[in-house]
Amino acid sequence: MVEAILDVRGVSKRFAFNGESVTALTDANLRIEKGEFVCLIGPSGCGKSTLLRMVAGFESVSDGELLMWTKPVTGPGPDRGMVFQDYGLFPWLTVRKNIGFGPVARGRPAKEVRATEERFVEMVGLTRFADAFPHQLSGGMKQRVAIARVLANDAEVVLMDEPFGALDAMTRERLQAELLEIWAKQKLTVLFVTHAIEEAIVLADRVVVMSPGPGRIVADERIDLPRPRDPTSPEFNAMRRHLGGLLAGHH
Ligand SMILES: Nc1ncnc2c1ncn2[C@@H]1O[C@H](COP(=O)(O)OP(=O)(O)O)[C@@H](O)[C@H]1O
Ligand SMILES: [Mg+2]
């Protein structure tokens, strides 16, 4: 068996809330191999963000084990980068400096930082805006900066929590295509949360379906359609119906 880059084994998460214990996620099992693009879908409150935050190392697990390359995740690290819906950029830094922030914080030499900034500014198509500040950018451009920032940190795993949810449909489609290009080129492993079935089918190698009350994984479906995927094709539609059924509780 190929070694998993991420191995979630029997993971549960409970939060103390108003003196009571809330189970956000129960007995999650998920193995992800290097280079896979995995989407998590499910309604609000089913534990998608909680699972992502545990992989990021922002939250500890209550039960079970969460391993990256067979070692327990004990906290955040540059090897796992998170991209949020609200971008999370530093408003006082330019595009270039946002992208170079991680390498600077890790004490990389100035010359190397400069080269990294240039490389990733170019990769996300923002060369003309390298010296702009976040407030001067559109939502799609801000999200490109957020992605570039994670890549500049040498992240092997990119964690994305509904990253395109705030964007208009055209921008979202363009960013989906760009993300797939970068994913393939950089051999990234992506764990991508969405509540949109269509987005999951456009992007993923596997779609993991989650359900609330308490949050859990109910299905793990492989999407074996060639890319770029055509949302109007019969195969795409069949998968849309199948995942819709799983979300509606037919599993
Ligand atoms: N810090 C927290 N404290 C208490 N409860 C939380 C906390 N974070 C999440 N929860 C609860 O865990 C459940 C799953 O939340 P979440 O992972 O955010 O779901 P999703 O991202 O799928 O909408 C929800 O019931 C939520 O209220
Ligand atoms: Mg969420």
Side-chain angles (χ1 to χ4, degrees), residues 15 17 24 43-50:
F15 290 104
F17 187 67
S44 194
C46 67
K48 304 183 296 296
S49 295
T50 298

Side-chain angles (χ1 to χ4, degrees), residues 118-204:
E118 290 311 316
R119 173 159 175 247
F120 290 103
V121 162
E122 195 189 318
M123 182 175 293
V124 297
L126 289 176
T127 304
R128 286 198 312 127
F129 293 88
D131 296 310
F133 287 89
H135 75 270
Q136 298 171 303
L137 306 178
S138 68
M141 290 157 82
K142 283 187 234 189
Q143 205 51 299
R144 287 193 183 92
V145 178
I147 292 168
R149 198 172 53 172
V150 161
L151 299 178
N153 249 339
D154 296 325
E156 265 193 291
V157 176
V158 181
L159 306 167
M160 307 183 83
D161 198 350
E162 307 199 28
F164 305 151
L167 305 176
D168 64 86
M170 267 171 62
T171 306
R172 187 184 318 139
E173 276 177 34
R174 204 158 69 222
L175 277 171
Q176 286 168 351
E178 289 176 16
L179 174 62
L180 285 173
E181 246 177 67
I182 294 171
W183 162 72
K185 194 163 146 198
Q186 302 291 107
K187 302 188 173 22
L188 300 171
T189 305
V190 180
L191 191 51
F192 186 108
V193 168
T194 177
H195 55 251
I197 294 180
E198 189 146 319
E199 182 164 65
I201 306 173
V202 165
L203 294 173

Side-chain angles (χ1 to χ4, degrees), residues 61-80:
V61 307
S62 303
D63 283 314
E65 282 189 306
L66 204 163
L67 310 174
M68 178 161 177
W69 291 129
T70 73
K71 291 194 190 65
V73 168
T74 54
D79 55 344
R80 286 150 291 134

